[in-house]
Amino acid sequence: PKGGGMIAIRNTKKQAIQRVCKEIDPKGESISIGMVNSPSQMVITGYMSSLKKAIQKLSSQEVSVETLKIEAPFHGPLLKEAASEIKDKLKQFTFRPTNYRIISGLTGQPYKNLNSSSDKRKKEVVNSLSKQLTHPIVWNKVMKEFYKEGVDTLLEISPRSLLLSLAEKNYLEASFYPVRSPRDIKKI
């Protein structure tokens, strides 16, 4: 939807942000938490008008607020229609078994049915991926799962380094590598 966006908030607790979002919209339709990046950093998502109200309410606290350069309210209820469309598209794909564990950004836990029957596997992947458009991403839980599993190397395949910078701040026992092109993989 037009007029949407996201803001990152640092140096506060999840409960404080939830309270502000509920004060602005008790139903949680125009503003909500979109990402939990760490215990002290969240991202809220919604209409810019609601996000601006949140910034005003939070300005009295000692928090850091950054409007993200994103024109869509990702990971929140405003993308309900898009999530439905994505779900229909994903249903057209075949998802094969894998030898790798894949961590869901929705739960911070490994997918359970990746090597189950094709119907069970497909249902889990389709539901999880489509819900990621309308529900918060729990990056902090994903990192905890990496740590628990002994992951010591993280690659981010993206034109920008966003997730790696979050990981470096919260998960210091790993090596971090941005991958922008096939040449970057050869350097690793």
Side-chain angles (χ1 to χ4, degrees):
K2 289 189 179 196
M6 301 176 80
I7 60 172
I9 304 165
R10 291 174 196 82
N11 305 323
T12 191
K13 300 282 184 208
K14 184 177 179 181
Q15 294 80 4
I17 295 173
Q18 287 172 319
R19 190 172 43 255
V20 167
C21 289
K22 282 221 182 289
E23 287 173 12
I24 294 167
D25 180 0
K27 292 183 179 180
E29 295 172 353
S30 70
I31 187 170
S32 63
I33 294 178
M35 296 180 75
V36 181
N37 293 332
S38 74
S40 64
Q41 184 191 10
M42 317 291 150
V43 174
I44 56 176
T45 182
Y47 285 120
M48 285 307 297
S49 57
S50 295
L51 296 175
K52 287 177 183 177
K53 288 177 188 176
I55 291 170
Q56 288 174 339
K57 287 183 176 285
L58 291 165
S59 65
S60 64
Q61 302 173 27
E62 291 186 23
V63 299
S64 169
V65 177
E66 176 187 357
T67 301
L68 302 181
K69 295 175 185 168
I70 295 172
E71 296 180 9
F74 292 109
H75 316 303
L78 295 177
L79 288 185
K80 190 175 179 181
E81 189 176 311
S84 178
E85 291 176 25
I86 291 287
K87 188 172 189 174
D88 289 341
K89 296 280 186 199
L90 288 170
K91 286 178 181 176
Q92 298 172 16
F93 290 92
T94 299
F95 296 91
R96 291 187 168 73
T98 179
N99 293 325
Y100 303 98
R101 292 170 45 96
I102 299 174
I103 310 301
S104 168
L106 192 63
T107 65
Q109 297 294 308
Y111 283 91
K112 293 181 176 128
N113 296 304
L114 291 179
N115 291 311
S116 300
S117 71
S118 62
D119 289 342
K120 226 175 176 180
R121 178 175 52 250
K122 184 174 195 168
K123 183 177 180 182
E124 180 182 34
V125 171
V126 167
N127 286 338
S128 180
L129 291 177
S130 59
K131 280 184 179 179
Q132 287 187 45
L133 286 175
T134 58
H135 289 75
I137 299 300
V138 289
W139 182 238
N140 62 328
K141 290 183 180 179
V142 170
M143 288 186 289
K144 284 180 184 175
E145 186 65 21
F146 288 162
Y147 181 77
K148 188 173 101 180
E149 293 293 322
V151 172
D152 64 359
T153 304
L154 297 170
L155 306 176
E156 180 175 11
I157 302 170
S158 172
R160 303 184 310 141
S161 221
L162 175 64
L163 298 178
L164 285 182
S165 65
L166 292 172
E168 287 176 349
K169 291 174 187 167
N170 297 288
Y171 184 46
L172 302 176
E173 298 173 20
S175 299
F176 306 95
Y177 300 98
V179 178
R180 310 277 179 267
S181 71
R183 286 186 310 251
D184 292 337
I185 292 176
K186 292 177 183 174
K187 295 177 190 175
I188 298 173

